[in-house]
Amino acid sequence: MRFHSAGPRRWAHVVALMLAMSGSAPAAVADAQSASYALEAFVVAHADDWQLFMGDVLVEALRRRHPVLVIVTSAGDAARGTEFWQTREQGALASTLAALALAGASARVADCVVSRVPMAALHGHQQSPMPPARAVRTCRTGDAATVFLRLPDGRPDGAGYAVHGYQSLLRLAATGRGPLSALDGSASYASVGDLAETVAGIIRTQQRLGVAVHVHTHDPDPMTNVIDHADHRETGRVALDAARRLHAAVTLYAGYSNVRRADNLTPEAAAWKAYCFVQYDRAMMARHGSWSAYAENAWAHALYLSRTYARPNVEHGLLRRLWPGR
């Protein structure tokens, strides 16, 4: 993982953006380390989060021939309608194809199906009123799979939108009163624990027998990740709970707080992030010219692309402190 400082690289993203817009990918370095086959699970809130906050890490995982799983919890609709969040999903898949190309892997259009997560895998032999399986949207291409849970966007402050009855991950966690339902009606979650078990079950379905799992997710701790979206924090908490159930290693990534930090990526790693993100943004603009996430906040997005800050989850009491009762 390329977190070592290489000095200020403020304009590295500009070069990558120019390459991406021209349709040429930055050259992928030949992979000389492919002995490990750990499943790298990236559990993020929105369709463009892994690209902005951990895109270089995902590309590196693919270069090392690790299978990659991305779980996107929120539709990220911002109350802008079905076409908007569906286009965001297409943008996420375009980013995945870009990451595969950077890794030198064959890239093809993703094959998407509605898959079912067996609840038996989540609850063992416990009696449960929940359905026997949970339906999720799963898209696969090569060694990468993406699962979309399509939960309502909770707004940056977690208050939710009127059009969705003010549902949000933060409200579910704070009140313990569900359900929190997917926008397409595919599934409902009675509690954050229910959602964490579902995330763990999705990871299990993608995990090869005996293969270790490494979970990458948002840092939910406001002490170390001072500024962030409520959906990011709550998704991070859900992912931590899922990782506990799986006995998986966890790496936590800063989000909006990166605007206050220094550039710390090599030009190559920054170019990887920028190339993946621009493919997402191009897919958005292809559907509607005004749907560029970069244009909405170019200053912040440029900074996200030149820095990745992460820490291992070494504090065993973190989940309990952030989420009392878990």
Side-chain angles (χ1 to χ4, degrees):
M1 298 182 188
R2 297 164 181 264
F3 301 137
H4 54 280
S5 176
R9 304 289 183 186
R10 191 164 304 280
W11 295 103
H13 67 280
V14 175
V15 176
L17 288 169
M18 292 173 63
L19 287 169
M21 289 301 187
S22 69
S24 301
V29 177
D31 180 23
Q33 302 182 42
S34 58
S36 177
Y37 293 94
L39 173 64
E40 308 285 352
F42 294 78
V43 184
V44 296
H46 306 115
D48 60 349
D49 283 342
W50 69 258
Q51 302 90 317
L52 291 171
F53 306 119
M54 53 196 88
D56 52 313
V57 181
L58 186 144
V59 171
E60 182 72 16
L62 288 172
R63 288 180 64 249
R64 295 177 182 274
R65 300 298 183 259
H66 293 193
V68 163
L69 168 65
V70 177
I71 300 174
V72 184
T73 59
S74 172
D77 61 288
R80 296 171 73 171
T82 302
E83 184 181 13
F84 183 78
W85 64 258
Q86 289 181 342
T87 304
R88 294 198 72 176
E89 292 185 359
Q90 293 304 311
L93 297 177
S95 293
T96 300
L97 291 174
L100 287 163
L102 288 169
S106 59
R108 63 180 185 276
V109 176
D111 179 26
C112 297
V113 298
V114 175
S115 60
R116 302 186 71 80
V117 182
M119 297 307 289
L122 305 178
H123 294 279
H125 299 292
Q126 298 178 13
Q127 295 297 317
S128 172
M130 287 184 286
R134 180 77 26 82
V136 296
R137 178 75 167 174
T138 302
C139 300
R140 178 176 294 282
T141 179
D143 284 334
T146 304
V147 176
F148 299 102
L149 301 187
R150 297 175 167 177
L151 299 177
D153 190 324
R155 289 180 34 158
D157 61 0
Y161 291 94
V163 68
H164 303 312
Y166 300 103
Q167 293 183 89
S168 73
L169 278 168
L170 179 59
R171 285 184 180 274
L172 182 67
T175 66
R177 294 193 298 269
L180 179 62
S181 301
L183 296 189
D184 62 352
S186 58
S188 293
Y189 302 90
S191 66
V192 286
D194 180 16
L195 180 57
E197 288 186 351
T198 302
V199 169
I202 292 168
I203 294 173
R204 287 192 189 100
T205 63
Q206 303 292 327
Q207 183 182 9
R208 300 173 188 171
L209 185 63
V211 170
V213 175
H214 186 175
V215 174
H216 305 261
T217 192
H218 305 285
D219 190 339
D221 192 341
M223 299 297 292
T224 54
N225 185 27
V226 180
I227 309 169
D228 219 345
H229 196 295
D231 285 352
H232 294 179
R233 294 196 196 283
E234 297 309 315
T235 295
R237 295 181 187 185
V238 167
L240 275 171
D241 195 354
R244 177 180 60 82
R245 299 163 193 260
L246 296 165
H247 305 288
V250 181
T251 299
L252 304 172
Y253 294 79
Y256 294 170
S257 293
N258 284 348
V259 297
R260 294 184 173 181
R261 292 171 164 152
D263 295 350
N264 69 337
L265 296 181
T266 64
E268 178 188 50
W272 289 350
K273 287 184 73 173
Y275 185 68
C276 291
F277 172 73
V278 168
Q279 301 313 308
Y280 165 86
D281 223 31
R282 290 179 70 184
M284 294 295 293
M285 290 187 291
R287 183 64 62 89
H288 197 292
S290 67
W291 284 358
S292 168
Y294 188 86
E296 288 178 0
N297 195 345
W299 170 79
H301 282 78
L303 298 180
Y304 299 150
L305 295 174
S306 59
R307 49 194 75 170
T308 297
Y309 280 85
R311 65 187 182 91
N313 178 39
V314 296
E315 185 181 345
H316 298 295
L318 176 63
L319 180 61
R320 193 175 303 108
R321 177 164 61 83
L322 293 174
W323 201 353
R326 296 303 307 163

